[in-house]
Amino acid sequence: MHGDIALRLKQVSAGAHEASGGEIGTFKIRLAGSLAARRDASSLVRRRYASKGYRPSATGDASGIWTFAAYDEGRLAGTVSLRLDSPGGLAADGLYRAEIDAIRRDGLKVCECTRLAVDTSRLSQPVLAGLFHTVYLFARRIRDFDFLVIEVNPRHVGFYHRSLGFEVVGDERHNARVGAPAVLLGMPFSAIADHLRRHAGGASRGPVARGLYAHGFSAIEEDGVLFRLRALGAGPAASAGFGD
């Protein structure tokens, strides 16, 4: 089943609009449920990983995995998969089981972002922001998870900290699944919610909008995203047919 959320992302900034000389663009995010959508997402992941010398890891057991894809004028612009914790665990347990178990022992429900890729020929910041905001809404607001982790290359730790507020949870280790070093980052969804409240939708309440959050959905757009996700049956009783 193909879940087309058809969501309008945060519009491109006035500065980007003036530089391009064209109309302000919009994006759509889709829940990749069809075979074609999953194939397109996997192809983008392979291209972006190969350009950096990585190997894309296999998803393994697909239960509990939900893949979101952002489209710009009908072309795939970015994708991310979300894996919800289950008896089978998370992919990051392979390297960071002790660290993730410590979070679990605190009574927190953990999930992870995997297979994140953005087409660098598109406007990457709005795409990243829209995907991340959608992951937050799905994992936190619909599935009631508490904590998000992501394995990143050590070179990217600074970006995730500055742009989104992630903190280091596990130190650098070699990730044989992708053939590259990795660091485990994490942050509670309560902190993500606070950043979105203060900065998303052009409503920054600080002297400087924090990184990608400034490109997030407005409150009205967020309500629309939640409505469409729930209308697609993406709630707790949803079929795994929406997953990657």
Side-chain angles (χ1 to χ4, degrees):
M1 182 175 183
H2 175 60
D4 189 349
I5 308 173
L7 307 174
R8 183 171 66 85
L9 272 71
K10 179 68 183 164
Q11 290 183 329
V12 181
S13 69
H17 168 55
E18 291 167 1
S20 68
E23 294 183 352
I24 294 179
T26 59
F27 298 84
K28 291 181 180 180
I29 293 183
R30 291 171 179 162
L31 194 55
S34 71
L35 177 61
R38 295 197 303 271
R39 185 172 56 240
D40 288 347
S42 293
S43 177
L44 176 59
V45 169
R46 287 194 300 270
R47 292 198 309 272
R48 295 301 303 143
Y49 277 41
S51 72
K52 300 175 183 178
Y54 307 156
R55 296 192 306 269
S57 59
T59 55
D61 181 6
S63 61
I65 299 178
W66 302 74
T67 295
F68 300 92
Y71 288 82
D72 175 18
E73 298 179 348
R75 293 182 57 187
L76 182 64
T79 182
V80 66
S81 292
L82 174 71
R83 185 190 295 267
L84 305 177
D85 203 5
S86 70
L90 303 174
D93 281 319
L95 287 179
Y96 298 102
R97 181 61 181 263
E99 290 84 352
I100 296 173
D101 276 348
I103 298 169
R104 293 176 176 123
R105 284 195 297 271
D106 286 338
L108 302 178
K109 295 170 63 178
V110 189
C111 56
E112 66 181 345
C113 281
T114 66
R115 299 171 66 84
L116 172 64
V118 173
D119 184 347
T120 55
S121 68
R122 323 305 288 180
L123 291 161
S124 59
Q125 283 196 331
V127 170
L128 276 170
L131 288 169
F132 188 74
H133 201 152
T134 303
V135 162
Y136 158 76
L137 292 174
F138 180 82
R140 177 59 179 170
R141 299 284 298 277
I142 292 181
R143 290 304 186 93
D144 199 30
F145 274 68
D146 306 296
F147 201 93
L148 179 66
V149 297
I150 182 171
E151 291 175 286
V152 305
N153 189 286
R155 297 194 306 268
H156 302 151
V157 169
F159 169 79
Y160 280 89
H161 175 70
R162 292 189 304 272
S163 298
L164 293 167
F166 277 94
E167 300 290 346
V168 174
V169 175
D171 58 9
E172 181 176 334
R173 295 165 199 178
H174 181 72
N175 187 338
R177 288 182 288 113
V178 298
V183 173
L184 185 67
L185 305 181
M187 66 187 302
F189 280 119
S190 58
I192 295 172
D194 184 59
H195 285 307
L196 288 169
R197 178 182 58 80
R198 290 187 289 122
H199 301 301
S204 178
R205 295 186 174 91
V208 178
R210 173 135 200 180
L212 292 176
Y213 291 108
H215 296 278
F217 304 130
S218 69
I220 293 175
E221 289 170 331
E222 187 177 90
D223 287 343
V225 174
L226 285 167
F227 176 81
R228 288 169 176 81
L229 282 170
R230 289 171 176 141
L232 285 170
S239 164
F242 284 107
D244 183 14

